[in-house]
Amino acid sequence: MSSQISLYIVWFVLCVHSRCSVQSNDSNKKPNFIILFMDDMGWGDLGCYGHPARETPNLDKMASQGLLFTDFYTASAICSPSRASLLTGRLPIRNGFYSTNQVARNSYAPQEVLGGIAASEVLISEVLQKAGYRNKIVGKWHLGHQAEYLPLRHGFHEWFGAPNCHYKYDGKIIPNIPVYKDHLMTGRYYDDYKIDHETGVANLTQMYIEEALVFLDRQAKAKQPFFLYWAPDATHTPLYASEKFRGHSSRGLYGDAVMEIDYGVGKILDKLKQLHLDDNTFMFFSSDNGAATYAFTEGGSNGPFLCGKQTTFEGGFRQPAIARWPGMIKGGQVSHQVGNLMDLYLTMLDMASLSRPKGVVFDGISLLPTMLNGTKKDRPVFYYRGDTLFKVRLGQYKAHFYTWNTPREAQDIGYHYCPGQRIDKVTTDQMANYTQAPLLFHLGRDPGEKFIIPSHTAEYQTVMPRLLKTVHEHRRDLRPAKPQFNLCDLAVQNWAPAGCEKINRCQMAPMSYLYNCTWPY
Amino acid sequence: MSSQISLYIVWFVLCVHSRCSVQSNDSNKKPNFIILFMDDMGWGDLGCYGHPARETPNLDKMASQGLLFTDFYTASAICSPSRASLLTGRLPIRNGFYSTNQVARNSYAPQEVLGGIAASEVLISEVLQKAGYRNKIVGKWHLGHQAEYLPLRHGFHEWFGAPNCHYKYDGKIIPNIPVYKDHLMTGRYYDDYKIDHETGVANLTQMYIEEALVFLDRQAKAKQPFFLYWAPDATHTPLYASEKFRGHSSRGLYGDAVMEIDYGVGKILDKLKQLHLDDNTFMFFSSDNGAATYAFTEGGSNGPFLCGKQTTFEGGFRQPAIARWPGMIKGGQVSHQVGNLMDLYLTMLDMASLSRPKGVVFDGISLLPTMLNGTKKDRPVFYYRGDTLFKVRLGQYKAHFYTWNTPREAQDIGYHYCPGQRIDKVTTDQMANYTQAPLLFHLGRDPGEKFIIPSHTAEYQTVMPRLLKTVHEHRRDLRPAKPQFNLCDLAVQNWAPAGCEKINRCQMAPMSYLYNCTWPY
């Protein structure tokens, strides 16, 4: 036994046919919300999703106390668009988190990009703010780093964390990777907030945990409903973990980072209990995209699914997802409802009995009926790569209109999205166009998308028209937003964020020079 | 929610540092034993091992009430040798379940083979028989089908099932695939015990369940300790399930078969409870080898592991394994102890306080300390393919001395053991010899055996000598048995098993003609 704490599974009969009797929710008392949002964590990384290491006792406990989704999706196989979709309830093609500079390329928000979350987008944080919530984001934002895009302009009252990814920059003069405390930069990743390049030791996750706990304490005292968006980034390369966790996992540094985050989830669960917030707090766990298979042993696991981050195969899009709300959601549930990060928006509005913002087209649905009563709704999944719809799922069926493994430019910088996996016609080296005769898969019999259902079969001929109709309807109503990720400029990097003066971290920006961003993904 | 029954996981602290207090076992009262032994079921097929379909509520419940092993192995990636190893506690190279006709070929017991379990082997059933147990096998035997090899000659009192696999034979005159009731054949698979070739509907699993339940009832009345070896074969192609289960799974016919077996496990669990046998019955669940990846969507899942049945990659050797004994083994445990099917023998002797047969070299260990006290013992796994040691595991490290994907002859009959998986130097088309510079993998960081640890690294240079020493010691003491699978003869097929007269199923055997068996695997 590797651990003092182990798994105990108890079974019981759920009310499925009849409406479950749940505690009546005091309509004056708004529920609290916590979203635990992971970075590059895969479907297969948790014990309760079958990872052989079983090193996530607290997340497994959270699942035991709530509802685990087997078929939950992201809206994008890459970070920024996924995060934008979570907070807007809309596909990237609708909220602008894409580029038209290249066909079918994933694009995210690095420091050179001009764009970010448009003022016209109504984030869930904004709706909750208007409804009297106190909102805090801890960790990674990634919806644009220029002043107008930062979280405190978009419904959050508080922030501790970074606007972008924490890449290692080379060279002597490098822009800040700022850590913000609310409106102001308080230091640089690597320098003021140390990450040891050799060992991967850093204390950032501990800080992110502490920020969450202090916030919960404060909100409990204030008796004000809250939305905590907890988005640590230790599982995104370059990986890191604190001294206390370094070397503890059987999986290496990635596992150490997972164990530390899991520990943090345990602390948050303890705190909720201690503060008697359990019964009135909806907590949701998921991840932004599939595990980064290109990070080799430094990346997570997508379980039995194909490829990972950056791709529209299941390994890129299917996410771990756990809902917990002891006062309302029965524990011990497993749901096969097809869910999406975009559903959180309308689900939370439903939970708080708030109206939807007018005139906004949503791509999500409310999952509250599923969570409370076990109802199941047939609904599609659209798998975009950049500006292009690559695949669609409806029921157990998935059609591939385009397939692509790793673009040449990504290979040139050492990326391979499907290491060890190779399927004829599916993990194609070039972007393959199957729109005239889409490839069909049955995800129940074949979760790994290995076996193409031949087009001459009755199954194909029955199913494909339904899938094509779904896509036709989706396209008919779609008005793509202005792409946010077309323009770049080195001058817009984080040279001198607000607050840099006080800590002597301001740098001179280079001359402004606008150019079309390109993406190797 | 797909099911009325869902997962509820509760966590509690286990006694690890101190010896757990367990109910004192009346030393006069021998425990009962049930081994639930699956055919071609993979590590990733159960809900509690993360299968997205989560269609095994009863096995998941069994895990919740007992101990789930994450790192449990078979002794062979193929059926007969695996079954022989389970019952002898010894590697196939030691109990004779291999062939020297070809180098490194898996060989099993089809109807043409002369060999079977040698009289000199002391099966666990024989030891238990002498100790006063009543032993029954339900389902597949596969330790030789000639009269001298059948279960009632090797320690079993009762049998209902088949000696071999249930292949579909072509042609008009085909040998029996006999179903035995104890000493006598009672009918033919497909004919007397129907399997519908088109739909896969058959009632055999229901019969196997009923046989188990009747036996339990009888033993409870007799107050005699028992060993029930329950080995259904519905998950081996050709797959089958009863009308009641056909079409119920989201995974197709394979899933239907799994669901029906899981239902059977539920009935056995209910029966134990009803008969008050729970506290004195050790029940163990596992499978003979990895899922048959070559069966495409008709095969099971090996989770995140590489390849499957027939191979020495983790997908071929790593097995689901659950131990349950409410009176003795604490529920809710997950163990990373490296276990092996061969361990059941000494574990059961330990449980029943029986002496080991003298002069027998065992390859298993007793897992009782692990099950009771959570102790963990470092011990190797030897991965043989036929007569050749392909790989070894010690700790988290695995060395590949030889690698091979699918032999040419197997490909010629449509087999591919690693569909969709392809790793340079690892899933080789030919048998590749790395004995001079073995490939090294870390199964914790890389359970999928995708990333070779370079030989110039300090890690390799520290670890490899330990692995080589383990192999050296193993080989030094090894005395291979006479191979049982070298000789074949069409005349020895099941033309006229005992009992065929009564049911008018005797057939004329062809002229005897001895030849060297060959194996495409």
Side-chain angles (χ1 to χ4, degrees), chain A residues 252-268:
Chain A
L253 181 51
Y254 180 85
D256 296 337
V258 172
M259 287 178 89
E260 186 159 22
I261 288 169
D262 179 76
Y263 162 87
V265 173
K267 297 305 268 183
I268 290 170

Side-chain angles (χ1 to χ4, degrees), chain A residues 225-499:
Chain A
F226 62 82
F227 168 34
L228 171 62
Y229 176 39
W230 193 67
D233 59 359
T235 46
H236 189 298
T237 53
L239 308 170
Y240 62 79
S242 70
E243 196 76 62
K244 193 176 152 192
F245 285 87
R246 188 67 192 98
H248 274 220
S249 166
S250 64
R251 304 175 61 190
L253 181 51
Y254 180 85
D256 296 337
V258 172
M259 287 178 89
E260 186 159 22
I261 288 169
D262 179 76
Y263 162 87
V265 173
K267 297 305 268 183
I268 290 170
L269 286 170
D270 290 347
K271 180 61 77 181
L272 287 181
K273 194 176 177 188
Q274 179 202 323
L275 297 172
H276 307 291
L277 292 174
D278 246 353
D279 276 1
N280 200 39
T281 303
F282 171 70
M283 193 159 148
F284 196 85
F285 171 91
S286 196
S287 179
D288 59 350
N289 43 248
T293 39
Y294 56 76
F296 305 111
T297 58
E298 299 258 284
S301 165
N302 297 314
F305 299 119
L306 186 59
C307 306
K309 181 176 175 180
Q310 306 284 2
T311 76
T312 52
F313 302 113
E314 291 297 289
F317 265 71
R318 206 180 301 205
Q319 301 306 130
I322 303 167
R324 178 188 183 271
W325 188 3
M328 293 290 278
I329 299 171
K330 280 216 170 215
Q333 296 187 66
V334 171
S335 176
H336 296 297
Q337 169 67 48
V338 170
N340 199 298
L341 291 173
M342 298 182 293
D343 299 342
L344 269 287
Y345 195 120
L346 297 186
T347 303
M348 285 158 66
L349 290 197
D350 239 14
M351 288 171 170
S353 305
L354 297 173
S355 315
R356 302 179 176 198
K358 278 179 192 140
V360 179
V361 177
F362 288 101
D363 293 292
I365 61 174
S366 170
L367 292 174
L368 191 58
T370 293
M371 292 178 185
L372 297 189
N373 311 325
T375 54
K376 211 174 149 196
K377 186 174 176 173
D378 211 15
R379 56 87 70 98
V381 182
F382 298 107
Y383 306 69
Y384 277 86
R385 182 153 168 163
D387 61 350
T388 308
L389 180 63
F390 262 51
K391 300 178 173 81
V392 67
R393 172 182 175 170
L394 190 67
Q396 290 285 3
Y397 290 98
K398 181 172 176 180
H400 293 199
F401 305 116
Y402 296 96
T403 70
W404 203 359
N405 177 344
T406 320
R408 188 76 251 165
E409 299 94 315
Q411 288 184 42
D412 289 346
I413 52 173
Y415 287 175
H416 297 280
Y417 303 147
C418 310
Q421 296 175 314
R422 190 153 145 183
I423 300 166
D424 258 11
K425 298 187 179 176
V426 179
T427 56
T428 53
D429 287 336
Q430 306 294 323
M431 181 173 158
N433 182 340
Y434 294 109
T435 48
Q436 291 311 303
L439 306 181
L440 184 65
F441 298 85
H442 186 281
L443 295 175
R445 300 194 301 263
D446 175 24
E449 293 164 280
K450 290 180 180 172
F451 309 112
I452 300 165
I453 298 171
S455 58
H456 60 77
T457 58
E459 187 176 16
Y460 186 100
Q461 285 161 23
T462 310
V463 169
M464 193 52 74
R466 285 213 301 269
L467 289 167
L468 293 176
K469 182 166 173 265
T470 301
V471 170
H472 175 74
E473 285 166 4
H474 167 66
R475 283 204 171 121
R476 194 186 52 205
D477 300 332
L478 185 70
R479 302 282 169 276
K482 178 176 166 248
Q484 287 291 328
F485 291 161
N486 278 0
L487 287 174
C488 280
D489 186 341
L490 292 175
V492 304
Q493 295 186 88
N494 286 304
W495 301 108

